[in-house]
Amino acid sequence: MDDAPSTEPTTPVPRVRLKPGERRLQILQVLAAMLEQPGAERITTAALAARLELSEAALYRHFASKAQMFEALIEFIETSVFGLVQQIVDNPHPLPPPGKAARIASVVLQFGEKNPGLTRVMVGDALVLEHERLTARVNQFFDRIESSLRQVLRAVAE
């Protein structure tokens, strides 16, 4: 009789307790993955919470707002890209300025290629209908890229 219920006690699956900061990182990773979906609509906290199998309240224990989640993604973009840009600028084996400028541009493009969800943040697509300070912050990011390119290419004019 395979249809008979099992008499073995069922043990609930224990919920894995993440270390401090890991849940926050997980939230950002899932948000970035959701942004990768082609034609993705505006992402709601309800959809994000459902994907993580958490309550919206749990999201808000880690981030005060959805805008704060996007700010954290922008911080990641800035840290990643400008860390690489600084390595190019400070390289002990100097490239000629046009080569450095090309490498900087390449870093930005490769970062976008490897992180399609974050590219939607960089170009502002994911920030439509979000707080305008997020768009301003992304614009500052590109202003800094432009400034880095000008700094590197200034050596050609001197």
Side-chain angles (χ1 to χ4, degrees), residues 17-59:
R17 186 141 182 99
L18 298 175
K19 294 178 183 170
E22 286 182 351
R23 177 70 71 196
R24 184 178 166 89
L25 180 61
Q26 181 187 41
I27 291 167
L28 295 174
Q29 288 171 334
V30 170
L31 176 57
M34 289 174 76
L35 288 168
E36 287 181 14
Q37 302 308 311
E41 299 295 318
R42 184 170 185 235
I43 295 173
T44 63
T45 54
L48 178 59
R51 179 76 63 93
L52 287 159
E53 298 180 353
L54 296 173
S55 67
E56 282 185 83
L59 290 178

Side-chain angles (χ1 to χ4, degrees), residues 85-86 89-90 97 100-101 104 144-156 158:
V85 167
Q86 198 58 49
V89 171
D90 295 341
K100 284 186 178 187
I104 290 170
R144 285 181 62 196
I145 292 291
E146 182 182 353
S147 177
S148 296
L149 290 169
R150 286 178 190 268
Q151 178 185 354
V152 164
L153 292 173
R154 195 171 296 133
V156 173
E158 294 174 349

Side-chain angles (χ1 to χ4, degrees), residues 97-133:
K100 284 186 178 187
R103 277 236 173 111
I104 290 170
S106 179
V107 160
V108 174
L109 294 172
Q110 287 174 354
F111 182 86
E113 184 179 29
K114 290 179 182 175
N115 301 284
L118 298 180
T119 300
R120 288 191 58 210
V121 174
M122 292 167 66
V123 299
D125 177 41
L127 304 177
V128 172
L129 303 175
E130 299 297 340
H131 200 283
E132 59 196 39
R133 79 173 181 271

